[in-house]
Amino acid sequence: DKRHFRHFMLKEIHEQPETAELWVARHLPPDLSSDDPVALPFDHSFYADLERIQILACGTSRHAALVGAYLLEQFAGIPTSVFYASEFRYAPPPLAPHTLTIGVTQSGETADTLAALAMDAQRRQAHGEPAFAPRQLGVTNRPESSLTRQVPYILDIGAGIEVGVAATKTFLGQLLAFYGLALAFAARRSHRSVTEIANLKDELRALPHQLHSLVELHDQRCEVLANRFADTQDVIFLGRGINYPIALEGALKLKEISYIHAEGYPAGEMKHGPIALLDARVPVVSIAMPGVVFEKVLSNAQEAKARDAKLIGVAPECPDTALFDALLPVPEVSEWISPLLTLVPIQLLSYHIAAHRGLDVDQPRNLAKSVTVE
Ligand code: F6R
């Protein structure tokens, strides 16, 4: 049931405040004991002797994994690598002991992700030492899926059924799963102070409310903006640091539902080739959130503007962001939390461009909700 929404995708974008609210209720309950940073369903053996993490996923799930890797490395201090599941299964890196493998799959049925996990488990078992025991976690929205039969640990993102082929609320749910893991690991490894952990938790608790206002605001703003950009042929999405994967996700969303060619780049890479594409016909969406790379992203946007590109900013409203031709404003929050907010305008911009073009947003051509073949 789409309720009053024109498409499931739009309904599911609007359900994100609720996805966040359920996550907070489940993982940051008010009665959480003071030495537990976050409620997760894992025993001691899950955390013990962990030295590194590798994450296997496809598509949008891989973009969530990239934000996850940023958090696990920068917030929790654990070396983490992300692989396309389809690449990993034929060229895995050399085995290393004390490694946790995480498979991220919304459907729990993606053939490449399941095969990559199975191959990783087999290699570890063949090695025979306890340090190589298959320690695998599945992050999924479908705890009843094939994935659950395959891995010992499961984190259910609990986002509810997603009907639209383009992942939206399940992307948010996957991101939140990684915030939970990063909090748990950072606290156990004493990589972050009690205050830093408490601050991140406070911001996560405020998220549902913030998402609610953002979705309402950007549903209107993006509809207006979409009219201006619906006939465009190419769009570039730029981000850096923790928001680089949101640029990739923006480009993927736009491609899959509007059939407009789009690329996501880490903003600093533009000058190494892609900047040659820019002219007045190519809009550039720049995700510029305060933090370590804020000034850098803004100067990369300035370089694009100098090539006559039309600049759309996903950024706070402030004098620094006055260079954007159009602004999709996002409140100033800590850099850690920012991808959870910047994802809203990039989803709604893609949605409204596709809807404006009269396309079948929920069932894009050539795509299926779960890819059960290699
Ligand atoms: C994009 C999208 C796909 C999936 C990918 C992996 O909107 O939905 O890119 O993310 O096919 O699917 P799961 O997460 O089910 O493994």
Side-chain angles (χ1 to χ4, degrees):
D1 174 19
K2 291 198 282 254
R3 305 215 308 271
H4 58 284
F5 294 102
R6 195 168 149 205
H7 295 101
F8 279 105
M9 182 181 175
L10 186 59
K11 170 175 171 264
E12 287 156 3
I13 291 172
H14 277 265
E15 281 169 353
Q16 291 178 116
E18 196 186 322
T19 309
E21 203 172 301
L22 288 171
W23 185 87
V24 170
R26 208 179 331 157
H27 298 289
L28 297 176
D31 58 351
L32 200 58
S33 93
S34 56
D35 29 72
D36 229 348
V38 54
L40 291 178
F42 306 133
D43 54 21
H44 172 72
S45 60
F46 176 79
Y47 298 99
D49 301 327
L50 191 71
E51 283 170 17
R52 61 187 67 74
I53 295 177
Q54 57 188 13
I55 315 179
L56 319 178
C58 307
T60 290
S61 297
R62 183 175 155 277
H63 298 155
L66 289 170
V67 175
Y70 190 99
L71 292 167
L72 290 166
E73 291 200 326
Q74 308 300 324
F75 190 81
I78 311 173
T80 303
S81 316
V82 178
F83 297 87
Y84 288 103
S86 57
E87 289 293 314
F88 181 97
R89 60 185 292 196
Y90 297 110
L95 273 187
H98 307 296
T99 299
L100 167 68
T101 303
I102 305 180
V104 188
T105 164
Q106 181 283 128
S107 61
E109 302 293 350
T110 296
D112 280 320
T113 309
L114 297 183
L117 283 165
M119 194 268 276
D120 178 65
Q122 265 165 20
R123 289 173 82 220
R124 278 169 203 283
Q125 262 148 0
H127 212 274
E129 294 167 39
F132 286 95
R135 185 163 15 175
Q136 295 192 322
L137 164 68
V139 176
T140 187
N141 196 36
R142 294 298 192 105
E144 74 288 0
S145 64
S146 307
L147 173 75
T148 306
R149 293 191 288 278
Q150 212 177 296
V151 298
Y153 298 100
I154 281 285
L155 202 46
D156 174 8
I157 63 171
I161 298 292
E162 188 174 66
V163 177
V165 162
T168 52
K169 63 176 178 172
T170 59
F171 178 57
L172 174 71
Q174 290 170 339
L175 291 179
L176 287 169
F178 282 109
Y179 281 82
L181 290 170
L183 277 169
F185 284 122
R188 261 164 225 271
R189 302 160 72 88
S190 308
H191 191 74
R192 290 280 158 187
S193 69
V194 174
T195 319
E196 285 171 310
I197 287 179
N199 287 347
L200 182 55
K201 286 165 67 169
D202 286 346
E203 289 207 280
L204 287 165
R205 287 198 170 101
L207 181 70
H209 183 70
Q210 257 171 337
L211 280 175
H212 184 76
S213 347
L214 268 185
V215 170
E216 295 301 323
L217 173 76
H218 289 300
D219 197 2
Q220 291 174 8
R221 296 257 179 134
C222 292
E223 189 168 5
V224 175
L225 202 59
N227 299 347
R228 272 170 62 191
F229 292 103
D231 291 330
T232 196
Q233 297 205 339
D234 308 273
V235 179
I236 306 280
F237 287 78
L238 300 180
R240 282 180 93 140
I242 198 168
N243 277 296
Y244 160 52
I246 303 301
L248 294 179
E249 179 60 6
L252 179 61
K253 285 285 93 93
L254 190 64
K255 277 185 266 218
E256 65 182 337
I257 59 169
S258 74
Y259 317 142
I260 292 173
H261 170 241
E263 302 274 354
Y265 273 104
E269 269 298 296
M270 280 305 282
K271 60 173 92 53
H272 300 288
I275 200 162
L277 292 170
L278 297 186
D279 63 26
R281 287 166 305 181
V282 182
V284 171
V285 180
S286 167
I287 305 167
M289 293 300 286
V292 281
V293 289
F294 188 45
E295 305 297 328
K296 302 285 170 194
V297 180
L298 291 174
S299 84
N300 298 138
Q302 193 67 59
E303 288 155 16
K305 197 178 167 108
R307 273 78 186 176
D308 296 329
K310 287 281 159 293
L311 286 187
I312 302 171
V314 173
E317 211 152 10
C318 65
D320 287 330
T321 59
L323 84 158
F324 293 113
D325 299 301
L327 185 71
L328 294 171
V330 175
E332 238 181 271
V333 287
S334 88
E335 193 169 27
W336 298 122
I337 220 81
S338 61
L340 298 169
L341 301 183
T342 55
L343 64 83
V344 172
I346 65 103
Q347 290 171 345
L348 282 163
L349 188 61
S350 302
Y351 168 77
H352 280 296
I353 290 178
H356 188 85
R357 287 158 74 100
L359 296 168
D360 187 354
V361 174
D362 288 331
Q363 294 284 340
R365 67 186 184 200
N366 309 341
L367 292 174
K369 186 72 187 158
S370 58
V371 184
T372 54
V373 292
E374 183 172 357

